[in-house]
Amino acid sequence: MTGMRGLSVFISDIRNCQNKEAERLRVDKELGNIRTCFKNDKVLTPYKKKKYVWKMLYIHMLGYDVDFGHMEAVSLISAPKYPEKQVGYIVTSCLLNENHDFLKLAINTVRNDIIGRNEAFQCLALTLVGNIGGRDFAESLAPDVQKLLISSSCRPLVRKKAALCLLRLFRKNPDAVNVDGWADRMAQLLDERDLGVLTSSTSLLVALVSNNHEAYSSCLPKCVKILERLARNQDVPQEYTYYGIPSPWLQVKAMRALQYFPTIEDPSTRKALFEVLQRILMGTDVVKNVNKNNASHAVLFEALSLVMHLDAEKEMISQCVALLGKFISVREPNIRYLGLENMTRMLMVTDVQDIIKKHQSQIITSLKDPDISIRRRALDLLYGMCDVSNAKDIVEELLQYLSTAEFSMREELSLKAAILAEKFAPDLSWYVDVILQLIDKAGDFVSDDIWFRVVQFVTNNEDLQPYAASKAREYLDKIAIHETMVKVSAYILGEYGHLLARQPGCSASELFSILHEKLPTVSTPTIPILLSTYAKLLMHTQPPDPELQKKVWAVFKKYESCIDVEIQQRAVEYFELSKKGPAFMDVLAEMPKFPERQSSLIKKAEYVEDTADQSAIKLRAQQQPSNALVLADPQPVNGAPPPLKVPILSGSTQDPESVARSVSHPNGTLSNIDPQTPSPDLLSDLLGPLAIEAPPGAVSNEQHGPVGVEGAADEVDGSAIVPVEEQTNTVELLGNIAERFHALCLKDSGVLYEDPHIQIGIKAEWRGHHGRLVLFMGNKNTSPLTSVQALILPPAHLKLDLSPVPDTIPPRAQVQSPLEVMNIRPSRDVAVLDFSYKFGTNVVSAKLRIPATLNKFLQPLQLTSEEFFPQWRALSGPPLKLQEVVRGVRPLALPEMANLFNSFHVTICPGLDPNPNNLVASTTFYSESTGAILCLARIETDPADRTQLRMTVGSGDPTLTFELKEFIKEQLITIPMGSRALVPAAGSAPSPAPPVAQPPSPAALADDPGAMLAGLL
């Protein structure tokens, strides 16, 4: 930028602006000057164009729009001199993305620079192609870039850039870059002596072998030779030595490439590689220089990953663990963190647990580290290394640490302590002690699943019942106990308190008194449990204790008129049952044993997050025996992989007061159409066979009544067309508008609206959270339609941009209006098209729903059982997983229901549910705020009654879960014509927020321990 005084002055002016308004005025003035100069080609010299394009780039960096100058920037690429060409390449790569149309104009110029002889121009062109990486560039320029890479006449600088450019093109568009037969060429590139070209080629190799390692098996010994060369510091220039370490980045890339290959079979290659790894392990230590530590540790940890991948000998594994043990004992927190994290990764290696146990005291010390990230890694490591031999020590340490742990860690800490106590309990009484201590110390952070689980154990083990009842009674003597402790104590004492009758202070009357003291302190959901306990205590006192009976009946009478239905029903029923004598004892008999199933706690912990130690936890869960009772799950869990890495983002909200749900929707009436005068179909040339037919059984045109605002036809749903205001004019509607809208919700083209004067059709294309619709408006008359207006009333969750509609549609002509749609967040709200036109003296206006519905942003996804079940278990419950018993369902056969799901892009995954009457489905939802979110669903049908089913829907976003559940429910329930509209009437109540939980149905009690206990209580 030498000599560009005007640019320097402009930048100084911007920096001296006192406020944003002054800056905007200065920028507007400069933009006006640039526009004027660009229009006057006679005075626009290459120097001035370069200066103005630099100014445009600076203005763009400030956040202002400079679209008008894109062409000038692209035109500089073809300049003959380097300064102008450099500016063109730099500014173009900054201003334009891969989908910009102007880039197509520059492809030939860029290609000429790539295949030319000027190395400076080649480097500029390769940099532009690598930075943008579009499909057009990949298809047109990839062969030329490949030729540059393998050319022997090009300097290393150009070949290095060619390798990085090809890497970018392959990553962005692997199908557009032809790499067939490139194995031999890659092997030749790995023999390069120049470390710059070699490093870039190794990066390209990592991408290639990650896609297909079998084709590049000849490159494996080459990678080992690279590591040998670097380990021995042979022929490594000084500029590639970083703090005495020969090219650490190349060492890391070579070892990463080796991890994509299976175990090395060749003995000499394997021996050479292990010698290199041994040298790395022996030569790495902690020093004071931070930069050297970073480089050497990057190499070391990649070597550790390679050692684990190759299943090395036990001596080398022991050496790795010993080295990591030194790391977790140093003062530097970053190094301690890396040591703990990599020791957790080492748990994936078989028979390494005993070696790691030697460092248990150091790991427990890290649990008290001031840095919370180190404490988290120590907790993960303790959880993964625990077994029967050290479970007591580790769980006691976790309980001791629980009292001082941060609130952000206590929930995870409680869950992991409960799981370890369950899996490795030496006896069940110790397990009960641990869980009760856990609830006592961290009640707010103990999920219901934990106390559900201890109740299951106590119920299924008769020898444990007196001990559990005694411990529960002890905790009730405390002045203040957590509500969760009240729940578990009340349940256990209600079931087994009579086993303590001979102990002092444990009579039914005394148990009632001490429990009743807690009643004023508990919330509404706990009261039903206490009422059940009172009834149980009364039942166990035979003959009845008059005093106790009087007190219990008084409580029941008190709650007979409670506003909470659950409490009221229990109080009334228990009061009446307690008068029945033997029938009372039969109804409140002791709870039966729970069916055997695997713990939901273990599944919840293993798939709660996708971290490096999850594979180790899964492996340990399969290898380690458990002394505790295992309650079986009907779903397969053995060998389940980690969750799919579909980015899961949360935090989206629902706007129930959007425009679409506040528009009024009185039903319109329809007039009879003269069958002798068929109306022309002006959209037939565009829609053709894609035009949507009315579904079988739809109301025919002859059934339609006269249209107008004054009357309404009960047999026709007018929800798709909403008259704006009262008018004396009437118009005849052709076809059922509601059915057309519902059909367009499942298809992407068809007729949305038609009357004798106009026909409105839609063609749509959907990709991710973007959509592009085209509205086709055809005038069917020989006279023009005037005063045409179309306005979009968008809901809050959609961004819509409708191109202007012409004021007049000529006779027998058709106009098109594109509509861009962007989905911001999940919602079932629909956009409304406020449309009106004038024919003669008549004004016709209507509000039409646009079929940009929730399912348009779903992408079908077929999952296998290994992919589905880990994701399903990771969704622990409300609000991420919601369940509802749906009644009034259209009686569809199972294949028809599967076709319905597939039609709105929720893919049925066959064979995942062992029950042939159930359906399991999956899909991916896209929105700007959430990204791509995996959605799962399970439909359980009743063969005896096809009008009801149980539906469970889950996703990583609570709003999406609720909206998708309601959307599927709408598709399944019979919708009588004329009785329901998707656009609510004005003044109607907003959509309810997602429910916290659904009451369990009888069918649910067989699958979920938590649901079973809730139902029984």
Side-chain angles (χ1 to χ4, degrees):
M1 296 195 301
T2 304
M4 290 192 186
R5 178 169 176 78
L7 176 61
S8 301
V9 171
F10 173 64
I11 294 175
S12 298
D13 291 346
I14 292 295
R15 290 177 175 174
N16 293 331
C17 290
Q18 299 297 318
N19 50 50
K20 189 69 177 177
E21 183 63 23
E23 176 189 295
R24 187 183 62 79
L25 292 175
R26 181 67 181 90
V27 169
D28 287 345
K29 178 182 177 182
E30 191 64 36
L31 288 176
N33 181 40
I34 293 173
R35 286 191 182 95
T36 302
C37 292
F38 280 169
K39 291 178 181 178
N40 192 353
D41 294 336
K42 296 181 180 179
V43 299
L44 190 63
T45 65
Y47 170 80
K48 288 185 177 180
K49 181 184 287 190
K50 177 179 67 172
K51 179 179 66 174
Y52 291 140
V53 170
W54 274 129
K55 287 185 178 181
M56 281 172 39
L57 178 60
Y58 183 70
I59 292 172
H60 170 75
M61 292 167 60
L62 294 176
Y64 296 93
D65 188 12
V66 290
D67 290 350
F68 69 91
H70 287 175
M71 190 61 194
E72 304 298 333
V74 173
S75 66
L76 279 176
I77 293 178
S78 58
K81 296 182 179 180
Y82 179 82
E84 288 80 15
K85 186 181 287 287
Q86 179 195 33
V87 174
Y89 274 117
I90 292 176
V91 177
T92 299
S93 63
C94 293
L95 295 184
L96 305 185
N97 59 39
E98 61 184 78
N99 298 317
H100 205 288
D101 292 336
F102 282 170
L103 286 177
K104 297 179 181 179
L105 304 177
I107 287 180
N108 288 334
T109 303
V110 174
R111 183 175 185 274
N112 291 333
D113 286 340
I114 289 177
I115 64 178
R117 296 288 184 177
N118 192 314
E119 292 178 350
F121 291 178
Q122 286 178 323
C123 291
L124 288 175
L126 291 172
T127 303
L128 173 73
V129 175
N131 285 334
I132 294 179
R135 174 169 286 274
D136 291 335
F137 278 167
E139 293 175 346
S140 303
L141 304 178
D144 298 312
V145 177
Q146 289 172 319
K147 290 178 182 178
L148 274 185
L149 177 58
I150 60 177
S151 172
S152 59
S153 60
C154 289
R155 290 178 58 194
L157 175 64
V158 177
R159 297 179 64 199
K160 179 174 66 174
K161 288 184 176 291
L164 296 177
C165 178
L166 189 61
L167 171 63
R168 166 75 174 194
L169 295 178
F170 181 76
R171 283 177 174 170
K172 288 283 290 182
N173 305 283
D175 56 325
V177 179
N178 183 14
V179 292
D180 295 338
W182 256 68
D184 294 336
R185 293 178 180 178
M186 285 305 306
Q188 294 174 6
L189 288 172
L190 295 181
D191 288 329
E192 281 287 333
R193 306 311 298 171
D194 185 275
L195 287 188
V197 177
L198 187 57
T199 303
S200 302
S201 300
T202 309
S203 300
L204 178 60
L205 175 66
V206 171
L208 293 174
V209 297
S210 65
N211 190 51
N212 179 18
H213 69 84
E214 295 178 355
Y216 297 91
S217 57
S218 60
C219 297
L220 190 150
K222 303 285 187 179
C223 291
V224 177
K225 288 184 179 180
I226 291 173
L227 290 174
E228 284 187 288
R229 171 186 172 187
L230 297 176
R232 295 171 183 170
N233 204 359
Q234 295 177 343
D235 192 21
V236 178
Q238 185 62 34
E239 61 267 23
Y240 285 94
T241 303
Y242 185 79
Y243 287 90
I245 305 171
S247 190
W249 40 88
L250 178 55
Q251 294 188 53
V252 169
K253 292 176 187 294
M255 287 188 284
R256 187 163 297 171
L258 287 173
Q259 293 176 54
Y260 286 102
F261 294 100
T263 303
I264 301 174
E265 301 295 340
D266 182 55
S268 60
T269 304
R270 184 178 177 88
K271 180 181 178 181
L273 178 58
F274 277 110
E275 288 178 356
V276 172
L277 295 176
Q278 185 74 29
R279 187 188 295 263
I280 293 173
L281 295 177
M282 294 292 293
T284 304
D285 204 348
V286 179
V287 296
K288 291 184 178 180
N289 191 302
V290 176
N291 291 329
K292 183 172 183 178
N293 274 336
N294 291 338
S296 62
H297 293 162
V299 176
L300 172 66
F301 295 136
E302 201 64 46
L304 290 176
S305 298
L306 184 56
V307 167
M308 289 186 283
H309 172 74
L310 296 175
D311 195 17
E313 290 77 8
K314 192 169 184 179
E315 290 76 12
M316 182 171 284
I317 295 293
S318 301
Q319 186 178 353
C320 294
V321 175
L323 184 60
L324 293 174
K326 291 171 58 178
F327 278 28
I328 65 177
S329 62
V330 300
R331 296 180 58 184
E332 174 60 37
N334 290 333
I335 296 177
R336 286 206 309 279
Y337 179 93
L338 292 171
L340 290 168
E341 183 181 43
N342 283 274
M343 194 173 283
T344 304
R345 292 176 182 270
M346 294 295 293
L347 288 171
M348 290 186 289
V349 180
T350 310
D351 298 331
V352 78
Q353 184 186 13
D354 291 337
I355 306 173
I356 295 179
K357 280 183 185 178
K358 298 176 183 178
H359 305 279
Q360 181 171 315
S361 60
Q362 291 176 322
I363 299 169
I364 291 176
T365 302
S366 299
L367 203 58
K368 304 176 179 64
D369 194 276
D371 192 327
I372 187 173
S373 60
I374 294 178
R375 295 197 297 273
R376 287 187 179 277
R377 297 287 76 79
L379 174 60
D380 292 338
L381 180 52
L382 286 172
Y383 178 72
M385 64 184 282
C386 186
D387 61 11
V388 178
S389 64
N390 60 0
K392 272 194 171 185
D393 296 335
I394 291 179
V395 171
E396 287 174 3
E397 287 291 340
L398 295 183
L399 289 176
Q400 183 179 353
Y401 174 57
L402 188 60
S403 303
T404 57
E406 286 81 6
F407 288 164
S408 60
M409 285 186 64
R410 290 192 180 183
E411 184 174 358
E412 180 185 2
L413 191 61
S414 302
L415 178 62
K416 290 186 173 179
I419 292 172
L420 294 179
E422 175 185 334
K423 289 177 62 178
F424 307 116
D427 58 78
L428 292 180
S429 60
W430 177 81
Y431 168 73
V432 172
D433 288 340
V434 169
I435 300 301
L436 294 182
Q437 288 183 56
L438 203 59
I439 296 173
D440 185 46
K441 291 183 177 182
D444 287 331
F445 304 94
V446 176
S447 65
D448 284 344
D449 289 332
I450 293 177
W451 80 268
F452 289 170
R453 190 66 175 160
V454 76
V455 165
Q456 293 172 12
F457 281 130
V458 174
T459 303
N460 286 22
N461 293 270
E462 295 182 6
D463 297 340
L464 189 61
Q465 292 165 2
Y467 180 81
S470 176
K471 296 299 292 185
R473 174 65 181 82
E474 290 178 15
Y475 278 98
L476 287 178
D477 286 333
K478 290 192 173 185
I479 297 175
I481 62 174
H482 193 269
E483 186 171 346
T484 304
M485 183 65 77
V486 176
K487 292 179 182 179
V488 66
S489 298
Y491 182 91
I492 292 175
L493 291 175
E495 291 293 330
Y496 313 112
H498 62 283
L499 303 177
L500 307 178
R502 296 182 180 181
Q503 298 182 17
C506 295
S507 66
S509 181
E510 290 170 316
L511 292 178
F512 169 78
S513 298
I514 195 170
L515 283 169
H516 197 51
E517 289 176 2
K518 312 297 181 185
L519 183 62
T521 66
V522 300
S523 59
T524 301
T526 307
I527 295 177
I529 301 176
L530 288 173
L531 294 182
S532 299
T533 301
Y534 298 164
K536 291 270 189 176
L537 292 174
L538 189 60
M539 180 268 293
H540 284 304
T541 55
Q542 296 299 328
D545 181 352
E547 187 66 24
L548 176 62
Q549 188 179 61
K550 180 180 178 182
K551 293 178 182 179
V552 173
W553 280 3
V555 177
F556 290 160
K557 294 295 288 183
K558 174 184 176 181
Y559 287 104
E560 279 184 350
S561 57
C562 180
I563 193 171
D564 187 275
V565 176
E566 176 73 12
I567 297 175
Q568 181 187 115
Q569 182 177 355
R570 294 200 185 208
V572 172
E573 292 181 357
Y574 289 154
F575 180 71
E576 294 299 327
L577 284 171
S578 62
K579 301 177 183 179
K580 302 297 184 182
F584 185 41
M585 298 183 66
D586 292 338
V587 173
L588 294 183
E590 185 175 307
M591 288 294 298
K593 291 185 177 183
F594 286 82
E596 290 190 354
R597 63 180 69 207
Q598 184 172 354
S599 172
S600 61
L601 295 178
I602 296 176
K603 293 183 286 183
K604 180 179 179 181
E606 287 182 0
Y607 302 102
V608 69
E609 56 179 326
D610 184 20
T611 57
D613 62 308
Q614 290 307 303
S615 297
I617 293 174
K618 179 189 68 177
L619 185 64
R620 301 275 300 116
Q622 296 174 357
Q623 292 177 345
Q624 293 300 321
S626 172
N627 289 358
L629 173 67
V630 178
L631 302 174
D633 188 344
Q635 297 175 345
V637 296
N638 292 332
L644 292 175
K645 294 182 180 179
V646 177
I648 298 172
L649 303 176
S650 63
S652 61
T653 56
Q654 180 186 12
D655 181 9
E657 302 202 13
S658 55
V659 177
R661 291 193 178 180
S662 61
V663 179
S664 60
H665 59 90
N667 287 335
T669 53
L670 305 174
S671 65
N672 294 327
I673 305 299
D674 184 0
Q676 303 300 324
T677 58
S679 58
D681 184 0
L682 297 179
L683 298 179
S684 59
D685 57 329
L686 291 167
L687 300 179
L690 296 177
I692 298 177
E693 300 286 339
V699 180
S700 64
N701 289 341
E702 288 74 18
Q703 295 173 313
H704 296 166
V707 97
V709 180
E710 303 298 331
D714 293 337
E715 66 272 23
V716 178
D717 183 0
S719 61
I721 176 170
V722 185
V724 176
E725 58 186 7
E726 292 194 12
Q727 56 190 36
T728 57
N729 304 317
T730 61
V731 64
E732 300 173 344
L733 298 186
L734 307 182
N736 189 312
I737 306 300
E739 290 178 359
R740 284 178 167 168
F741 170 77
H742 291 305
L744 283 172
C745 290
L746 302 181
K747 296 185 178 181
D748 291 334
S749 60
V751 177
L752 177 67
Y753 170 83
E754 185 175 8
D755 63 31
H757 311 307
I758 194 170
Q759 185 183 60
I760 302 177
I762 282 184
K763 262 192 172 182
E765 181 182 2
W766 306 92
R767 182 174 301 170
H769 65 283
H770 292 277
R772 178 179 175 84
L773 295 84
V774 180
L775 298 178
F776 300 92
M777 289 165 278
N779 183 358
K780 299 161 60 175
N781 298 299
T782 55
S783 301
L785 300 180
T786 59
S787 301
V788 179
Q789 293 184 352
L791 175 67
I792 291 291
L793 305 178
H797 76 287
L798 293 179
K799 285 183 182 178
L800 296 137
D801 183 15
L802 178 65
S803 299
V805 176
D807 181 71
T808 301
I809 302 179
R812 311 291 264 181
Q814 182 190 85
V815 297
Q816 302 178 14
S817 182
L819 173 62
E820 301 291 337
V821 182
M822 179 184 292
N823 187 27
I824 307 300
R825 60 176 182 269
S827 176
R828 287 172 296 125
D829 297 346
V830 292
V832 174
L833 175 66
D834 188 349
F835 176 77
S836 63
Y837 67 91
K838 187 175 182 181
F839 179 71
T841 59
N842 296 333
V843 177
V844 179
S845 58
K847 285 187 171 68
L848 305 173
R849 290 177 296 170
I850 299 296
T853 49
L854 180 74
N855 61 300
K856 300 297 185 181
F857 306 104
L858 299 177
Q859 181 173 322
L861 178 65
Q862 185 88 35
L863 296 182
T864 63
S865 60
E866 290 80 9
E867 296 167 334
F868 180 89
F869 289 114
Q871 293 284 4
W872 185 257
R873 298 185 195 101
L875 303 171
S876 56
L880 297 182
K881 183 189 288 184
L882 298 178
Q883 188 176 93
E884 182 176 351
V885 176
V886 183
R887 295 179 175 83
V889 177
R890 286 178 286 172
L892 300 174
L894 214 58
E896 295 176 350
M897 187 176 293
N899 291 336
L900 176 64
F901 272 77
N902 290 327
S903 68
F904 51 80
H905 300 167
V906 179
T907 307
I908 297 298
C909 305
L912 297 192
D913 198 308
N915 189 336
N917 296 309
N918 297 344
L919 296 176
V920 173
S922 60
T923 187
T924 305
F925 174 79
Y926 291 87
S927 72
E928 186 180 56
S929 63
T930 63
I933 294 187
L934 181 65
C935 306
L936 307 174
R938 185 187 184 198
I939 306 297
E940 302 165 82
T941 65
D942 183 0
D945 185 2
R946 287 292 182 185
T947 63
Q948 67 175 359
L949 52 82
R950 185 174 70 164
M951 174 173 58
T952 309
V953 178
S955 76
D957 182 85
T959 303
L960 172 58
T961 301
F962 174 75
E963 295 289 345
L964 182 59
K965 177 180 75 71
E966 293 299 311
F967 176 82
I968 296 175
K969 181 179 174 182
E970 289 174 351
Q971 305 301 317
L972 294 174
I973 294 179
T974 302
I975 306 175
M977 298 301 291
S979 65
R980 184 182 179 279
L982 289 183
V983 183
S988 62
S991 296
V996 175
Q998 296 289 342
S1001 66
L1005 304 183
D1007 290 338
D1008 185 5
M1012 176 178 289
L1013 187 59
L1016 295 174
L1017 292 177

